[in-house]
Amino acid sequence: MPDRRDTRGRDLERASAPKTLSATKLRWGLLIAALGAIVAAGVTMTVAGFDTDKVEAHQPGAAPVVRDKEFSSAAQGDCLTWSKPDRSDLVKVNCADKHLFEVAGVIDLSAYPGREFAEGTRHPDSLRMTELRDEHCVTAVQKYLGGRFDPRGKFMVNVMSPSPAGWQHGDRTLRCGVQVAATTASPATTGSLVDSDQSKVNAVGTCLGINQNLPTDPVDCAQPHAVEIVGTVDLSTNFTGGPPSESDQDKFVEAECNRLSGDYLGSPDAIRNKTLTLFFDYLEPASWLAGSHKLDCWLGKGADREGFAPIVGSARGEILIDGQAPVPPPNSGRSTPAPLPGAAPLPPQPQPR
């Protein structure tokens, strides 16, 4: 029975056959990884302080004096950056310049009911800060963007807290904001999120690393990776108005990704000869309405178990898949049907015994 794939690489073989990762599962895998990054980043940001030399001591009974100047004066729309792991060199910069965090709102915990954040209380632990981020910052970001934040896009919601010393001296404010979503450290970005395309796309030629068979952050293609970006499709060139249906997206993106992959590799036979598969996803209505209209075309190799096999080298040259050079399938000389959307071309056909 021929191996067939649906519009986003979903395996349609018999249940007993090895499964490759469907794009639907791929999307959720990426979201799980991104969620882990959000939590990890939130924990890091909330427990690490700033330079305590910037916090002035005060006389007993005097009003608290907070001198984490850059943090405590950061307001909605400000962009922040730093280079030290503890962010002790945090500064405000023009959002047109490279930055790591954009402030979407300021939350004053001193107005919180009860005595949880009253004078003399301890700095909240990482779990409580994560809860506060989820309680306040998602709403703050949506309000900042007029409801046009794409939760599956390029950016993620996060929170920054005062340094422990700033907390001790009475600062009870949080900065809710956004940063580039990543599985490790978030990279810098330029431009305000208000004016940015939130589509989660990468530059053509980018390779995404691999961890537990799932794609991670961009790496050099000479390192093990899950997929290589061979093109980016802008759906707004074909669709206007409301969100296009999944089937309409599939038809358009499939044709575009096949065309772009051929241009990228220089040969329509390269994918088949390297035993790779072309994957693409679709945009959900929430992403479309938030202004995300672009999708990447991914080239990868499904593993025997769910996920991707590690690839070393760019598909434009020599590659290794799971440490082995790919063996081009034999050409039987027979004509084969046109490849189904999402798999270009079809995998090797079984030969008569």
Side-chain angles (χ1 to χ4, degrees), residues 40 131 165 168 231 317:
E131 293 173 345
Q168 180 184 353

Side-chain angles (χ1 to χ4, degrees), residues 71-72 74-76 101 103-113 117 124 128-129 131-144 157-162 167 170-177:
F71 172 78
S72 61
Q76 184 183 78
F101 191 86
V103 180
V106 178
I107 306 299
D108 186 357
L109 296 179
S110 65
Y112 220 78
F117 306 116
R128 184 64 178 121
M129 289 305 305
E131 293 173 345
L132 291 168
R133 179 202 64 203
D134 295 342
E135 290 171 10
H136 299 288
C137 292
V138 174
T139 301
V141 169
Q142 286 287 9
K143 184 176 180 180
Y144 178 57
V157 177
N158 216 333
V159 64
M160 298 183 74
S161 71
W167 182 275
D171 190 350
R172 294 293 186 269
T173 58
L174 306 178
R175 266 65 188 171
C176 293

Side-chain angles (χ1 to χ4, degrees), residues 179-180 182-187 217:
Q179 61 190 121
V180 176
T183 56
T184 54
S186 289
D217 299 329

Side-chain angles (χ1 to χ4, degrees), residues 49 99 213 225 293-294 302 304 323-324 327:
H99 59 273
N213 303 323
H225 56 271
H293 296 157
K294 297 177 182 178
D304 289 340
Q324 302 294 320
V327 178

